[in-house]
Amino acid sequence: MSRTRVCFRCQLCGAESPKWLGRCQECGEWGSVIEEHSPSSNGSGSGRAEAVQAAIPMLEVSSEGEEPMPSGVGELDRVLGGGLVPGSVTLLGGEPGIGKSTLVLQALAGLVAERPGERAMVVTAEESRQQVRARAERLGVLSADLWLLAETSLASIATQIRQVRPAVVAVDSVQTIHDPAFESAPGTVSQVRECTHRLVQLAKQEGVAVILVGHVTKEGSLAGPRTLEHLVDTVLSFEGDRHHALRMLRAVKHRFGPTSELGLFEMTGSGLRDLSDPSALFLADRRQGTSGSAVAAVLEGARPLLVEVQALTGRDRTQMPRRAATGVDPARLAMLLGVLDRRADVSLASVDVYASVAGGVRLAEPGGDLALCLALVSAHRNVSLPPDSVAVGEVGLGGEIRQAAQTPRRLAEAARLGFTEAIVPESTPDVSGIRLRRVTTLTQAIRQVLGP
Ligand code: TYD
Ligand code: MG
């Protein structure tokens, strides 16, 4: 019997307070603190005495961990470093409608297809069985080894996992399941955290790999359970712009490998497809010889990507000029406009400026600065950049061009895609297959590629 006590908890950050507050003192969110019931014992589910383990010399611990099970979905396996590890718990977060249920179904189907005789189970706590079956049919992945449970009660889910003994279970979503023994309402931070904790224990006991689907709000918080991240082994974030087919999968936390890999998918009419050559796709519709267009070689995690950066400038305006950015951080754009003005004598202060990255990609790292600046100047002067050229480099406040991380890898990718010339910082070492134009300042870069 677990006794409970009343507490007040922020549904965004999970901070607890002894009394009700209109605004969370931790994260500053308004109206997010609600009443919950927590177990009176500290640490959830720890009422039972745990088996005592003796300390042993580290050398006596076997170095072999569990072998990951490939899901057959190439880009997912890339991010996971091979596949799902038995007994591990993976949290898959993303905005509603991004494709989490689709990814999970494809992964489970792929896993059983690669492992004859083993089962995978989908626990649907949101959709009906018919809906899930219809999706599986649409994806063409129906299989006798795919099991389905429409259930929201944690106890029933645990019982079914013990009976069906699947190699992998996906719970879609963790926010809609609940433990009736636990008094907080479904979806509250306490309830979701408690359920996750139980599922982590179950995964370890049964050696089953568990995937938890979690909805993330627009602001990027995992609808409360940010606090889940330390309970699970792996946190994956599934991102993308709903108006584009591109989807990106990143590991935010991963106990079994690096978090630097990026998975890229294309959402098609028949599910998610691995995008193994994304740069070629991003550049496919590019029109060479147009002003305001530059190609940046950016790094997404460990993966070099070539993307087209576009800029457009308007006519002189007397009132406040507009600045609009898609896929570019507005603050970064403002900073680069400032550097162009003060250090390179290119003033765009009185004209409208639009900047965009094609294909739904975000320019999230400073290695794309130089390409963006060149696109802006190219648009302003209505002169196009040399064909088949890329730019890599961070632009400093002094107008200097700085080295970006792993420039040679980016240049090798550019060379592979047929680019013949690269505008790079002075210190860049030679890379075979591509001619380098080394520059120290923004002014020099502009003069070299766009003329005086
Ligand atoms: P879904 O996996 O249900 O998203 P989530 O679980 O993250 O809420 O998929 C959402 C969208 O994907 C839906 O609007 C339809 C689209 N979709 C496709 O374009 N092709 C497909 O094959 C499938 C299954 C879905
Ligand atoms: Mg879903």
Side-chain angles (χ1 to χ4, degrees), residues 259-273:
T259 52
S260 51
E261 281 293 352
L262 171 78
L264 289 164
F265 300 92
E266 187 183 7
M267 180 60 97
T268 71
S270 53
L272 291 157
R273 228 186 31 224

Side-chain angles (χ1 to χ4, degrees), residues 223-358:
R226 249 275 121 87
T227 44
L228 292 188
E229 292 190 356
H230 71 272
L231 294 179
V232 300
D233 300 299
T234 302
V235 181
L236 302 179
S237 163
F238 203 29
E239 299 159 18
D241 175 348
R242 256 197 274 173
H243 304 292
H244 285 98
L246 177 71
R247 298 287 180 273
M248 302 191 204
L249 185 71
R250 287 170 219 279
V252 180
K253 163 183 174 178
H254 194 27
R255 281 200 182 133
F256 310 105
T259 52
S260 51
E261 281 293 352
L262 171 78
L264 289 164
F265 300 92
E266 187 183 7
M267 180 60 97
T268 71
S270 53
L272 291 157
R273 228 186 31 224
D274 287 346
L275 252 191
S276 36
D277 195 0
S279 299
L281 181 89
F282 298 151
L283 298 175
D285 298 324
R286 189 167 57 106
R287 278 176 55 218
Q288 299 246 20
T290 312
S291 66
S293 160
V295 176
V298 296
L299 215 57
E300 275 288 354
R303 197 165 182 175
L305 281 186
L306 269 75
V307 292
E308 182 184 5
V309 184
Q310 292 183 302
L312 185 70
T313 57
R315 293 180 208 292
D316 260 317
R317 282 162 70 114
T318 40
Q319 70 274 50
M320 277 283 284
R322 281 180 61 97
R323 270 95 183 81
T326 310
V328 177
D329 175 18
R332 195 84 196 166
L333 175 64
M335 188 207 100
L336 294 174
L337 288 172
V339 176
L340 277 170
D341 187 6
R342 295 302 302 276
R343 306 291 185 185
D345 214 17
V346 178
S347 175
L348 301 174
S350 60
V351 297
D352 291 342
V353 173
Y354 304 94
S356 154
V357 181

Side-chain angles (χ1 to χ4, degrees), residues 23-110:
R23 184 182 191 187
C24 173
Q25 288 182 331
E26 279 297 316
C27 69
E29 181 73 12
W30 291 94
S32 63
V33 177
I34 67 161
E35 184 181 324
E36 290 191 356
H37 301 266
S38 284
S40 46
S41 58
N42 52 351
S44 34
S46 61
R48 285 157 265 144
E50 292 189 13
V52 180
Q53 283 232 10
I56 56 167
M58 207 182 280
L59 278 173
E60 287 178 18
V61 180
S62 150
S63 61
E64 281 158 34
E66 292 270 17
E67 275 291 304
M69 305 178 280
S71 71
V73 177
E75 294 291 295
L76 174 64
D77 291 341
R78 169 204 285 268
V79 173
L80 290 173
L84 292 159
V85 175
S88 74
V89 178
T90 303
L91 180 65
L92 173 67
E95 282 177 26
I98 208 75
K100 299 178 297 296
S101 303
T102 308
L103 178 62
V104 156
L105 198 52
Q106 285 183 242
L108 264 52

Side-chain angles (χ1 to χ4, degrees), residues 390-409:
V390 295
V392 183
E394 176 177 349
V395 174
L397 286 179
E400 76 281 11
I401 307 300
R402 292 167 174 266
Q403 198 54 251
Q406 305 192 34
T407 302
R409 289 194 53 203

